[in-house]
Every structure is written in structure tokens, then in C-alpha cells.
Amino acid sequence: MPIHKLSVVTVCYNPGPILVEAIRSVQAQDFADVEHVIIDGGSTDGTPDRVAPLLRAGDVFVSEPDKGIYDAMNKGIARAGGDAIALLNADDRYADPGVLSRVAARFDSSGADAVLGDVSFFRPGAPDVSIRRYNSGMFRPSRIRWGWMPAHPAMVLTREAYDRVGPYSTEYRIAADFDFIVRAFLKHGLSYSYLRDVFVKMQVGGVSTAGGSARQTINREMLRACRENGVPSNAAMINSRYLMKVLELIRR
């Protein structure tokens, strides 16, 4: 479908000054019509005052308590007015000003429900030094039961696709994005087109990239998402995805 307007949804809670970098990377995009929807969970670190002078006409900023990151994502998606919707974390940024133009062009040429790209990981303070590249080109729906999913921050869906799949489940602490992937590509059979390109530079240290306790939680939740959606899997299959992460480190 033709993409005339793109929405970028960013959710945050006490993100600090780094949110400004995410906002600037959205505003630097050369696509003609991009709205930025920022859903803040009622930050107490000065975020509303920091964001206010940066907002453009058509942008949305909401600051109020929410029930967590996935509830905030749902709020942002519901408010988004674009033909396609991207999610950008508060401490991430777009790789270059042409990302969203290339995404829109791929939607136009492919007619897909989703456009997938890659993510480059960086350490705090060094956004231009990649320590790992998440290659969404390895994704296939048949591999979901093995714990494989496209890079979530580099997954852009049409408005209609989000309406079909439904909201992110707030029953998961970390893996609601994986549950969404299960529903999107297995239950609803969304079509997708992969663009071999880094869409997003992602800072390590988020909830899903934390230590061993977080890994145990996400593994349990990923297996739960498979089982609740009728996808056969087991703990060994889910854990096998870590081999791919090692290969990403080698290949970067």
C-alpha cells in the first residue's frame, strides 16, 4: 500500500537527556510526513519540560501513569495517525536520515504488511561503534518456535496490520514483543519484506538485554507465548537462539 504518512512511537519513563537524541533522529528523517508520538509514563526527571520545546506541529506528547512499557506502546499505537507505524526506544536512534524514506519505498514496491531491517548495538556513549548487528534477514516464521524473531525496533507495520494483530499483551514482563511476533506471523500470517539495512542504532542495557535473571524471564515468557498460541516448542529450542547471537558477534 502507498505510504503517505509514517508514525514513530516512543515510550519512556525517566529516560533522561538521551531521549533528545531519539527525537532529533526522528526529526532528521527526510521522509515528507513523519509524526512522532511520545508516550511518557509520568516522568519525574524533567522529561516533559525537556521535550516541550522540541515538539513540532503534528507531534504528540502524553505524560501520565501507565501500566508498563507494553501498555504505553498500545497507547502510542492507538494515537498514531500514520499509514505505517514504527517503534523507537527512548535510548535508541535512527541510523541515518534516509531510513524512513527507504522503509516507505519498500512498502510501496512490495505491498507487504511489514518491512524488516537490522539493528546495530552500541555501548553507552559510543553510538558509532557497533558491537553486534541483529540480522533480521535470518528470520522466517518457521523459526519462531526456535526463539527467532526479527529485530523488534527495526520492524515497521502498516496501520491495518496492527489493527489485525491487536495490541501487545500486558501479561508479559519482557516478551510481549515475541508474543506479538507469534501472533503476527503465525496466527495472522502477515507478509513481510526484508531490507538489508541498519534501521536503528540500539544502546545495550535495556530490559531485554539485562543480566541472567532477565534472560531466564524472557526464556520462560517466550516458551509461554508459543504454548499459549498453539506453537510447538520447548526450552531447549528457545535457548538455541543464543548460538545465533554468538555468530552475530563474530560476523559484525
Side-chain angles (χ1 to χ4, degrees), residues 187-238:
K187 182 177 180 180
H188 292 279
L190 294 191
S191 61
Y192 64 93
S193 180
Y194 169 64
L195 187 57
R196 186 175 174 77
D197 201 0
V198 173
F199 290 2
V200 173
K201 294 182 178 181
M202 182 176 186
Q203 180 169 287
V204 297
V207 174
S208 63
T209 59
S213 176
R215 283 195 295 270
Q216 291 177 7
T217 299
I218 197 170
N219 289 344
R220 286 196 304 268
E221 290 191 348
M222 290 173 79
L223 183 55
R224 172 188 166 192
C226 285
R227 289 174 173 169
E228 290 185 348
N229 287 286
V231 177
S233 185
N234 57 54
M237 292 169 68
I238 294 294

mmCIF file of all heavy atoms in Angstrom, residues 187-238:
data_model
loop_
_atom_site.group_PDB
_atom_site.id
_atom_site.type_symbol
_atom_site.label_atom_id
_atom_site.label_comp_id
_atom_site.label_asym_id
_atom_site.label_seq_id
_atom_site.Cartn_x
_atom_site.Cartn_y
_atom_site.Cartn_z
ATOM 1 N N LYS A 187 -0.175 -16.715 13.490
ATOM 2 C CA LYS A 187 -1.645 -16.728 13.597
ATOM 3 C C LYS A 187 -2.301 -15.939 12.468
ATOM 4 O O LYS A 187 -3.263 -16.390 11.839
ATOM 5 C CB LYS A 187 -2.079 -16.174 14.955
ATOM 6 C CG LYS A 187 -3.582 -16.196 15.167
ATOM 7 C CD LYS A 187 -3.943 -15.698 16.563
ATOM 8 C CE LYS A 187 -5.442 -15.704 16.793
ATOM 9 N NZ LYS A 187 -5.786 -15.218 18.173
ATOM 10 N N HIS A 188 -1.755 -14.741 12.184
ATOM 11 C CA HIS A 188 -2.384 -13.870 11.185
ATOM 12 C C HIS A 188 -1.670 -13.888 9.839
ATOM 13 O O HIS A 188 -2.179 -13.312 8.869
ATOM 14 C CB HIS A 188 -2.460 -12.435 11.723
ATOM 15 C CG HIS A 188 -3.401 -12.273 12.873
ATOM 16 N ND1 HIS A 188 -4.755 -12.137 12.713
ATOM 17 C CD2 HIS A 188 -3.172 -12.270 14.211
ATOM 18 C CE1 HIS A 188 -5.328 -12.029 13.907
ATOM 19 N NE2 HIS A 188 -4.396 -12.110 14.824
ATOM 20 N N GLY A 189 -0.532 -14.531 9.776
ATOM 21 C CA GLY A 189 0.162 -14.701 8.504
ATOM 22 C C GLY A 189 0.550 -13.417 7.794
ATOM 23 O O GLY A 189 0.417 -13.324 6.565
ATOM 24 N N LEU A 190 1.031 -12.423 8.540
ATOM 25 C CA LEU A 190 1.427 -11.171 7.908
ATOM 26 C C LEU A 190 2.521 -11.418 6.877
ATOM 27 O O LEU A 190 3.432 -12.220 7.079
ATOM 28 C CB LEU A 190 1.952 -10.178 8.948
ATOM 29 C CG LEU A 190 0.991 -9.630 10.007
ATOM 30 C CD1 LEU A 190 1.654 -8.479 10.754
ATOM 31 C CD2 LEU A 190 -0.338 -9.190 9.414
ATOM 32 N N SER A 191 2.439 -10.710 5.788
ATOM 33 C CA SER A 191 3.510 -10.743 4.794
ATOM 34 C C SER A 191 4.581 -9.736 5.203
ATOM 35 O O SER A 191 4.304 -8.757 5.895
ATOM 36 C CB SER A 191 2.962 -10.397 3.411
ATOM 37 O OG SER A 191 2.417 -9.085 3.399
ATOM 38 N N TYR A 192 5.822 -9.990 4.774
ATOM 39 C CA TYR A 192 6.899 -9.071 5.154
ATOM 40 C C TYR A 192 7.939 -8.999 4.049
ATOM 41 O O TYR A 192 8.059 -9.893 3.207
ATOM 42 C CB TYR A 192 7.558 -9.516 6.461
ATOM 43 C CG TYR A 192 8.269 -10.844 6.399
ATOM 44 C CD1 TYR A 192 9.633 -10.931 6.106
ATOM 45 C CD2 TYR A 192 7.569 -12.042 6.627
ATOM 46 C CE1 TYR A 192 10.274 -12.161 6.049
ATOM 47 C CE2 TYR A 192 8.208 -13.276 6.561
ATOM 48 C CZ TYR A 192 9.557 -13.317 6.275
ATOM 49 O OH TYR A 192 10.197 -14.537 6.211
ATOM 50 N N SER A 193 8.684 -7.912 4.070
ATOM 51 C CA SER A 193 9.780 -7.706 3.133
ATOM 52 C C SER A 193 10.997 -7.252 3.933
ATOM 53 O O SER A 193 10.897 -6.323 4.744
ATOM 54 C CB SER A 193 9.409 -6.649 2.087
ATOM 55 O OG SER A 193 10.473 -6.439 1.174
ATOM 56 N N TYR A 194 12.121 -7.931 3.713
ATOM 57 C CA TYR A 194 13.340 -7.602 4.442
ATOM 58 C C TYR A 194 14.201 -6.649 3.632
ATOM 59 O O TYR A 194 14.463 -6.878 2.461
ATOM 60 C CB TYR A 194 14.126 -8.877 4.764
ATOM 61 C CG TYR A 194 15.525 -8.629 5.279
ATOM 62 C CD1 TYR A 194 15.738 -7.964 6.484
ATOM 63 C CD2 TYR A 194 16.633 -9.056 4.555
ATOM 64 C CE1 TYR A 194 17.028 -7.726 6.951
ATOM 65 C CE2 TYR A 194 17.921 -8.832 5.017
ATOM 66 C CZ TYR A 194 18.118 -8.165 6.217
ATOM 67 O OH TYR A 194 19.390 -7.932 6.677
ATOM 68 N N LEU A 195 14.642 -5.584 4.275
ATOM 69 C CA LEU A 195 15.535 -4.616 3.663
ATOM 70 C C LEU A 195 16.882 -4.733 4.371
ATOM 71 O O LEU A 195 16.989 -4.454 5.567
ATOM 72 C CB LEU A 195 14.961 -3.206 3.836
ATOM 73 C CG LEU A 195 15.648 -2.032 3.141
ATOM 74 C CD1 LEU A 195 15.717 -2.266 1.643
ATOM 75 C CD2 LEU A 195 14.894 -0.741 3.439
ATOM 76 N N ARG A 196 17.886 -5.193 3.642
ATOM 77 C CA ARG A 196 19.202 -5.409 4.251
ATOM 78 C C ARG A 196 19.849 -4.064 4.548
ATOM 79 O O ARG A 196 20.639 -3.537 3.768
ATOM 80 C CB ARG A 196 20.095 -6.252 3.345
ATOM 81 C CG ARG A 196 21.432 -6.631 3.973
ATOM 82 C CD ARG A 196 22.235 -7.555 3.088
ATOM 83 N NE ARG A 196 23.558 -7.803 3.621
ATOM 84 C CZ ARG A 196 23.836 -8.620 4.635
ATOM 85 N NH1 ARG A 196 22.856 -9.286 5.229
ATOM 86 N NH2 ARG A 196 25.072 -8.779 5.056
ATOM 87 N N ASP A 197 19.514 -3.535 5.714
ATOM 88 C CA ASP A 197 19.891 -2.175 6.045
ATOM 89 C C ASP A 197 19.790 -2.011 7.564
ATOM 90 O O ASP A 197 18.879 -2.588 8.188
ATOM 91 C CB ASP A 197 18.909 -1.221 5.352
ATOM 92 C CG ASP A 197 19.448 0.182 5.193
ATOM 93 O OD1 ASP A 197 20.586 0.437 5.617
ATOM 94 O OD2 ASP A 197 18.714 1.030 4.654
ATOM 95 N N VAL A 198 20.677 -1.264 8.152
ATOM 96 C CA VAL A 198 20.540 -0.943 9.575
ATOM 97 C C VAL A 198 19.556 0.210 9.711
ATOM 98 O O VAL A 198 19.807 1.316 9.223
ATOM 99 C CB VAL A 198 21.895 -0.567 10.212
ATOM 100 C CG1 VAL A 198 21.690 -0.070 11.648
ATOM 101 C CG2 VAL A 198 22.841 -1.758 10.213
ATOM 102 N N PHE A 199 18.423 -0.066 10.342
ATOM 103 C CA PHE A 199 17.432 0.979 10.584
ATOM 104 C C PHE A 199 17.750 1.757 11.861
ATOM 105 O O PHE A 199 17.608 2.971 11.910
ATOM 106 C CB PHE A 199 16.034 0.370 10.757
ATOM 107 C CG PHE A 199 15.414 -0.206 9.522
ATOM 108 C CD1 PHE A 199 16.078 -0.222 8.306
ATOM 109 C CD2 PHE A 199 14.136 -0.749 9.581
ATOM 110 C CE1 PHE A 199 15.491 -0.763 7.172
ATOM 111 C CE2 PHE A 199 13.533 -1.295 8.459
ATOM 112 C CZ PHE A 199 14.210 -1.303 7.254
ATOM 113 N N VAL A 200 18.128 1.016 12.912
ATOM 114 C CA VAL A 200 18.216 1.595 14.252
ATOM 115 C C VAL A 200 19.547 1.264 14.916
ATOM 116 O O VAL A 200 20.040 0.145 14.810
ATOM 117 C CB VAL A 200 17.061 1.056 15.141
ATOM 118 C CG1 VAL A 200 17.215 1.501 16.594
ATOM 119 C CG2 VAL A 200 15.714 1.524 14.587
ATOM 120 N N LYS A 201 20.106 2.254 15.578
ATOM 121 C CA LYS A 201 21.237 2.041 16.481
ATOM 122 C C LYS A 201 20.671 1.929 17.890
ATOM 123 O O LYS A 201 20.027 2.867 18.365
ATOM 124 C CB LYS A 201 22.239 3.189 16.382
ATOM 125 C CG LYS A 201 22.934 3.288 15.040
ATOM 126 C CD LYS A 201 23.957 4.414 15.030
ATOM 127 C CE LYS A 201 24.696 4.500 13.709
ATOM 128 N NZ LYS A 201 25.713 5.596 13.710
ATOM 129 N N MET A 202 20.910 0.789 18.529
ATOM 130 C CA MET A 202 20.269 0.477 19.808
ATOM 131 C C MET A 202 21.310 0.381 20.921
ATOM 132 O O MET A 202 22.291 -0.351 20.807
ATOM 133 C CB MET A 202 19.516 -0.855 19.689
ATOM 134 C CG MET A 202 18.772 -1.262 20.928
ATOM 135 S SD MET A 202 17.827 -2.800 20.625
ATOM 136 C CE MET A 202 16.931 -2.932 22.165
ATOM 137 N N GLN A 203 21.085 1.135 21.984
ATOM 138 C CA GLN A 203 22.003 1.112 23.114
ATOM 139 C C GLN A 203 21.771 -0.130 23.964
ATOM 140 O O GLN A 203 20.635 -0.443 24.315
ATOM 141 C CB GLN A 203 21.817 2.366 23.972
ATOM 142 C CG GLN A 203 22.737 2.440 25.182
ATOM 143 C CD GLN A 203 22.690 3.806 25.839
ATOM 144 O OE1 GLN A 203 23.222 4.774 25.316
ATOM 145 N NE2 GLN A 203 22.041 3.889 26.989
ATOM 146 N N VAL A 204 22.846 -0.852 24.275
ATOM 147 C CA VAL A 204 22.707 -2.031 25.133
ATOM 148 C C VAL A 204 22.399 -1.587 26.554
ATOM 149 O O VAL A 204 22.725 -0.484 26.957
ATOM 150 C CB VAL A 204 23.981 -2.902 25.109
ATOM 151 C CG1 VAL A 204 24.250 -3.455 23.733
ATOM 152 C CG2 VAL A 204 25.186 -2.110 25.613
ATOM 153 N N GLY A 205 21.747 -2.496 27.292
ATOM 154 C CA GLY A 205 21.432 -2.192 28.686
ATOM 155 C C GLY A 205 19.954 -2.042 28.966
ATOM 156 O O GLY A 205 19.558 -1.700 30.070
ATOM 157 N N GLY A 206 19.076 -2.302 27.966
ATOM 158 C CA GLY A 206 17.636 -2.241 28.187
ATOM 159 C C GLY A 206 17.149 -3.451 28.956
ATOM 160 O O GLY A 206 17.917 -4.335 29.333
ATOM 161 N N VAL A 207 15.839 -3.505 29.184
ATOM 162 C CA VAL A 207 15.243 -4.578 29.981
ATOM 163 C C VAL A 207 15.562 -5.950 29.405
ATOM 164 O O VAL A 207 15.956 -6.876 30.116
ATOM 165 C CB VAL A 207 13.709 -4.393 30.086
ATOM 166 C CG1 VAL A 207 13.073 -5.589 30.779
ATOM 167 C CG2 VAL A 207 13.379 -3.122 30.845
ATOM 168 N N SER A 208 15.401 -6.094 28.088
ATOM 169 C CA SER A 208 15.569 -7.414 27.479
ATOM 170 C C SER A 208 17.029 -7.779 27.236
ATOM 171 O O SER A 208 17.326 -8.896 26.856
ATOM 172 C CB SER A 208 14.789 -7.489 26.162
ATOM 173 O OG SER A 208 15.295 -6.573 25.237
ATOM 174 N N THR A 209 17.968 -6.819 27.433
ATOM 175 C CA THR A 209 19.380 -7.122 27.244
ATOM 176 C C THR A 209 20.119 -7.104 28.574
ATOM 177 O O THR A 209 21.335 -7.008 28.605
ATOM 178 C CB THR A 209 20.038 -6.116 26.274
ATOM 179 O OG1 THR A 209 19.908 -4.793 26.799
ATOM 180 C CG2 THR A 209 19.414 -6.196 24.904
ATOM 181 N N ALA A 210 19.384 -7.188 29.683
ATOM 182 C CA ALA A 210 19.979 -7.170 31.013
ATOM 183 C C ALA A 210 20.598 -8.528 31.333
ATOM 184 O O ALA A 210 20.805 -9.357 30.472
ATOM 185 C CB ALA A 210 18.940 -6.760 32.052
ATOM 186 N N GLY A 211 20.866 -8.785 32.625
ATOM 187 C CA GLY A 211 21.632 -9.958 33.025
ATOM 188 C C GLY A 211 20.869 -11.262 33.020
ATOM 189 O O GLY A 211 19.816 -11.412 32.399
ATOM 190 N N GLY A 212 21.446 -12.235 33.763
ATOM 191 C CA GLY A 212 20.935 -13.601 33.744
ATOM 192 C C GLY A 212 19.498 -13.731 34.182
ATOM 193 O O GLY A 212 18.748 -14.538 33.632
ATOM 194 N N SER A 213 19.096 -12.961 35.184
ATOM 195 C CA SER A 213 17.714 -13.040 35.666
ATOM 196 C C SER A 213 16.736 -12.656 34.559
ATOM 197 O O SER A 213 15.700 -13.302 34.377
ATOM 198 C CB SER A 213 17.532 -12.119 36.873
ATOM 199 O OG SER A 213 16.191 -12.109 37.294
ATOM 200 N N ALA A 214 17.076 -11.584 33.816
ATOM 201 C CA ALA A 214 16.205 -11.162 32.712
ATOM 202 C C ALA A 214 16.161 -12.227 31.622
ATOM 203 O O ALA A 214 15.111 -12.463 31.022
ATOM 204 C CB ALA A 214 16.693 -9.836 32.137
ATOM 205 N N ARG A 215 17.306 -12.873 31.362
ATOM 206 C CA ARG A 215 17.327 -13.923 30.334
ATOM 207 C C ARG A 215 16.427 -15.087 30.726
ATOM 208 O O ARG A 215 15.732 -15.663 29.888
ATOM 209 C CB ARG A 215 18.768 -14.400 30.106
ATOM 210 C CG ARG A 215 19.609 -13.440 29.272
ATOM 211 C CD ARG A 215 20.872 -14.111 28.770
ATOM 212 N NE ARG A 215 21.766 -14.465 29.859
ATOM 213 C CZ ARG A 215 22.712 -13.666 30.349
ATOM 214 N NH1 ARG A 215 22.854 -12.449 29.854
ATOM 215 N NH2 ARG A 215 23.497 -14.078 31.324
ATOM 216 N N GLN A 216 16.452 -15.460 31.999
ATOM 217 C CA GLN A 216 15.586 -16.541 32.451
ATOM 218 C C GLN A 216 14.115 -16.170 32.284
ATOM 219 O O GLN A 216 13.300 -16.988 31.840
ATOM 220 C CB GLN A 216 15.885 -16.871 33.912
ATOM 221 C CG GLN A 216 17.237 -17.518 34.139
ATOM 222 C CD GLN A 216 17.522 -17.760 35.612
ATOM 223 O OE1 GLN A 216 16.660 -17.561 36.460
ATOM 224 N NE2 GLN A 216 18.741 -18.182 35.913
ATOM 225 N N THR A 217 13.808 -14.921 32.620
ATOM 226 C CA THR A 217 12.423 -14.466 32.487
ATOM 227 C C THR A 217 11.979 -14.459 31.038
ATOM 228 O O THR A 217 10.891 -14.941 30.700
ATOM 229 C CB THR A 217 12.258 -13.053 33.088
ATOM 230 O OG1 THR A 217 12.587 -13.084 34.480
ATOM 231 C CG2 THR A 217 10.822 -12.564 32.927
ATOM 232 N N ILE A 218 12.821 -13.925 30.165
ATOM 233 C CA ILE A 218 12.417 -13.846 28.758
ATOM 234 C C ILE A 218 12.298 -15.234 28.145
ATOM 235 O O ILE A 218 11.403 -15.498 27.337
ATOM 236 C CB ILE A 218 13.389 -12.946 27.960
ATOM 237 C CG1 ILE A 218 12.729 -12.545 26.629
ATOM 238 C CG2 ILE A 218 14.727 -13.619 27.708
ATOM 239 C CD1 ILE A 218 13.493 -11.474 25.876
ATOM 240 N N ASN A 219 13.166 -16.171 28.529
ATOM 241 C CA ASN A 219 13.061 -17.538 28.005
ATOM 242 C C ASN A 219 11.752 -18.184 28.428
ATOM 243 O O ASN A 219 11.078 -18.845 27.630
ATOM 244 C CB ASN A 219 14.243 -18.380 28.481
ATOM 245 C CG ASN A 219 15.557 -17.995 27.809
ATOM 246 O OD1 ASN A 219 15.551 -17.306 26.787
ATOM 247 N ND2 ASN A 219 16.660 -18.425 28.382
ATOM 248 N N ARG A 220 11.390 -18.020 29.704
ATOM 249 C CA ARG A 220 10.118 -18.571 30.188
ATOM 250 C C ARG A 220 8.943 -17.945 29.450
ATOM 251 O O ARG A 220 7.994 -18.642 29.055
ATOM 252 C CB ARG A 220 9.966 -18.331 31.689
ATOM 253 C CG ARG A 220 10.835 -19.207 32.579
ATOM 254 C CD ARG A 220 10.347 -19.183 34.008
ATOM 255 N NE ARG A 220 10.279 -17.825 34.542
ATOM 256 C CZ ARG A 220 11.275 -17.230 35.209
ATOM 257 N NH1 ARG A 220 12.418 -17.866 35.395
ATOM 258 N NH2 ARG A 220 11.136 -16.004 35.667
ATOM 259 N N GLU A 221 9.008 -16.635 29.254
ATOM 260 C CA GLU A 221 7.882 -15.951 28.621
ATOM 261 C C GLU A 221 7.782 -16.291 27.132
ATOM 262 O O GLU A 221 6.673 -16.375 26.589
ATOM 263 C CB GLU A 221 8.009 -14.443 28.827
ATOM 264 C CG GLU A 221 7.770 -14.019 30.271
ATOM 265 C CD GLU A 221 7.622 -12.520 30.435
ATOM 266 O OE1 GLU A 221 7.930 -11.759 29.476
ATOM 267 O OE2 GLU A 221 7.181 -12.093 31.517
ATOM 268 N N MET A 222 8.915 -16.484 26.478
ATOM 269 C CA MET A 222 8.873 -16.871 25.069
ATOM 270 C C MET A 222 8.263 -18.252 24.897
ATOM 271 O O MET A 222 7.437 -18.476 23.993
ATOM 272 C CB MET A 222 10.280 -16.823 24.473
ATOM 273 C CG MET A 222 10.842 -15.420 24.318
ATOM 274 S SD MET A 222 12.585 -15.378 23.802
ATOM 275 C CE MET A 222 12.418 -15.698 22.055
ATOM 276 N N LEU A 223 8.622 -19.170 25.772
ATOM 277 C CA LEU A 223 8.038 -20.509 25.711
ATOM 278 C C LEU A 223 6.541 -20.448 26.012
ATOM 279 O O LEU A 223 5.736 -21.105 25.339
ATOM 280 C CB LEU A 223 8.745 -21.435 26.704
ATOM 281 C CG LEU A 223 8.289 -22.897 26.709
ATOM 282 C CD1 LEU A 223 8.395 -23.517 25.320
ATOM 283 C CD2 LEU A 223 9.107 -23.691 27.724
ATOM 284 N N ARG A 224 6.182 -19.614 26.968
ATOM 285 C CA ARG A 224 4.757 -19.429 27.289
ATOM 286 C C ARG A 224 3.993 -18.876 26.090
ATOM 287 O O ARG A 224 2.878 -19.335 25.780
ATOM 288 C CB ARG A 224 4.631 -18.479 28.479
ATOM 289 C CG ARG A 224 3.201 -18.052 28.801
ATOM 290 C CD ARG A 224 3.201 -16.968 29.869
ATOM 291 N NE ARG A 224 1.908 -16.311 29.966
ATOM 292 C CZ ARG A 224 1.694 -15.180 30.643
ATOM 293 N NH1 ARG A 224 2.693 -14.611 31.314
ATOM 294 N NH2 ARG A 224 0.495 -14.630 30.674
ATOM 295 N N ALA A 225 4.593 -17.897 25.391
ATOM 296 C CA ALA A 225 3.923 -17.308 24.226
ATOM 297 C C ALA A 225 3.686 -18.354 23.147
ATOM 298 O O ALA A 225 2.622 -18.379 22.510
ATOM 299 C CB ALA A 225 4.757 -16.149 23.673
ATOM 300 N N CYS A 226 4.662 -19.226 22.940
ATOM 301 C CA CYS A 226 4.484 -20.297 21.959
ATOM 302 C C CYS A 226 3.332 -21.212 22.371
ATOM 303 O O CYS A 226 2.444 -21.517 21.565
ATOM 304 C CB CYS A 226 5.773 -21.102 21.814
ATOM 305 S SG CYS A 226 7.077 -20.264 20.889
ATOM 306 N N ARG A 227 3.347 -21.643 23.610
ATOM 307 C CA ARG A 227 2.341 -22.586 24.082
ATOM 308 C C ARG A 227 0.947 -21.983 24.059
ATOM 309 O O ARG A 227 -0.021 -22.635 23.661
ATOM 310 C CB ARG A 227 2.710 -23.069 25.486
ATOM 311 C CG ARG A 227 3.922 -24.001 25.497
ATOM 312 C CD ARG A 227 4.369 -24.349 26.903
ATOM 313 N NE ARG A 227 5.427 -25.374 26.875
ATOM 314 C CZ ARG A 227 6.148 -25.720 27.929
ATOM 315 N NH1 ARG A 227 5.957 -25.123 29.101
ATOM 316 N NH2 ARG A 227 7.076 -26.659 27.818
ATOM 317 N N GLU A 228 0.830 -20.719 24.475
ATOM 318 C CA GLU A 228 -0.496 -20.092 24.526
ATOM 319 C C GLU A 228 -1.061 -19.830 23.134
ATOM 320 O O GLU A 228 -2.268 -19.659 22.976
ATOM 321 C CB GLU A 228 -0.431 -18.797 25.326
ATOM 322 C CG GLU A 228 -0.204 -19.027 26.830
ATOM 323 C CD GLU A 228 -0.262 -17.758 27.646
ATOM 324 O OE1 GLU A 228 -0.254 -16.655 27.042
ATOM 325 O OE2 GLU A 228 -0.319 -17.856 28.889
ATOM 326 N N ASN A 229 -0.186 -19.787 22.138
ATOM 327 C CA ASN A 229 -0.648 -19.574 20.765
ATOM 328 C C ASN A 229 -0.613 -20.849 19.934
ATOM 329 O O ASN A 229 -0.734 -20.807 18.710
ATOM 330 C CB ASN A 229 0.204 -18.482 20.104
ATOM 331 C CG ASN A 229 -0.104 -17.093 20.635
ATOM 332 O OD1 ASN A 229 -1.133 -16.515 20.311
ATOM 333 N ND2 ASN A 229 0.788 -16.568 21.470
ATOM 334 N N GLY A 230 -0.452 -22.010 20.622
ATOM 335 C CA GLY A 230 -0.512 -23.289 19.944
ATOM 336 C C GLY A 230 0.673 -23.603 19.065
ATOM 337 O O GLY A 230 0.557 -24.371 18.086
ATOM 338 N N VAL A 231 1.847 -23.029 19.391
ATOM 339 C CA VAL A 231 3.058 -23.258 18.608
ATOM 340 C C VAL A 231 3.945 -24.246 19.357
ATOM 341 O O VAL A 231 4.378 -23.963 20.475
ATOM 342 C CB VAL A 231 3.822 -21.936 18.375
ATOM 343 C CG1 VAL A 231 5.121 -22.191 17.621
ATOM 344 C CG2 VAL A 231 2.945 -20.945 17.617
ATOM 345 N N PRO A 232 4.230 -25.419 18.798
ATOM 346 C CA PRO A 232 5.046 -26.413 19.500
ATOM 347 C C PRO A 232 6.482 -25.930 19.682
ATOM 348 O O PRO A 232 7.128 -25.485 18.736
ATOM 349 C CB PRO A 232 4.984 -27.644 18.591
ATOM 350 C CG PRO A 232 4.661 -27.101 17.240
ATOM 351 C CD PRO A 232 3.798 -25.904 17.472
ATOM 352 N N SER A 233 6.979 -25.993 20.919
ATOM 353 C CA SER A 233 8.342 -25.582 21.224
ATOM 354 C C SER A 233 8.732 -26.191 22.556
ATOM 355 O O SER A 233 7.927 -26.852 23.224
ATOM 356 C CB SER A 233 8.452 -24.051 21.263
ATOM 357 O OG SER A 233 9.800 -23.647 21.443
ATOM 358 N N ASN A 234 9.975 -25.979 22.963
ATOM 359 C CA ASN A 234 10.419 -26.403 24.289
ATOM 360 C C ASN A 234 11.602 -25.528 24.693
ATOM 361 O O ASN A 234 12.105 -24.727 23.902
ATOM 362 C CB ASN A 234 10.794 -27.891 24.314
ATOM 363 C CG ASN A 234 11.867 -28.257 23.313
ATOM 364 O OD1 ASN A 234 12.943 -27.657 23.297
ATOM 365 N ND2 ASN A 234 11.581 -29.238 22.450
ATOM 366 N N ALA A 235 12.043 -25.680 25.941
ATOM 367 C CA ALA A 235 13.089 -24.807 26.469
ATOM 368 C C ALA A 235 14.389 -24.915 25.687
ATOM 369 O O ALA A 235 15.065 -23.908 25.432
ATOM 370 C CB ALA A 235 13.326 -25.132 27.947
ATOM 371 N N ALA A 236 14.760 -26.130 25.279
ATOM 372 C CA ALA A 236 16.000 -26.312 24.527
ATOM 373 C C ALA A 236 15.942 -25.586 23.185
ATOM 374 O O ALA A 236 16.927 -24.977 22.748
ATOM 375 C CB ALA A 236 16.275 -27.794 24.322
ATOM 376 N N MET A 237 14.791 -25.651 22.524
ATOM 377 C CA MET A 237 14.643 -24.972 21.242
ATOM 378 C C MET A 237 14.751 -23.453 21.413
ATOM 379 O O MET A 237 15.443 -22.778 20.636
ATOM 380 C CB MET A 237 13.296 -25.346 20.611
ATOM 381 C CG MET A 237 13.215 -26.799 20.185
ATOM 382 S SD MET A 237 11.531 -27.314 19.734
ATOM 383 C CE MET A 237 11.282 -26.378 18.230
ATOM 384 N N ILE A 238 14.102 -22.924 22.443
ATOM 385 C CA ILE A 238 14.150 -21.481 22.694
ATOM 386 C C ILE A 238 15.584 -21.032 22.985
ATOM 387 O O ILE A 238 16.066 -20.007 22.489
ATOM 388 C CB ILE A 238 13.221 -21.095 23.852
ATOM 389 C CG1 ILE A 238 11.749 -21.332 23.473
ATOM 390 C CG2 ILE A 238 13.441 -19.653 24.280
ATOM 391 C CD1 ILE A 238 11.223 -20.436 22.373
#
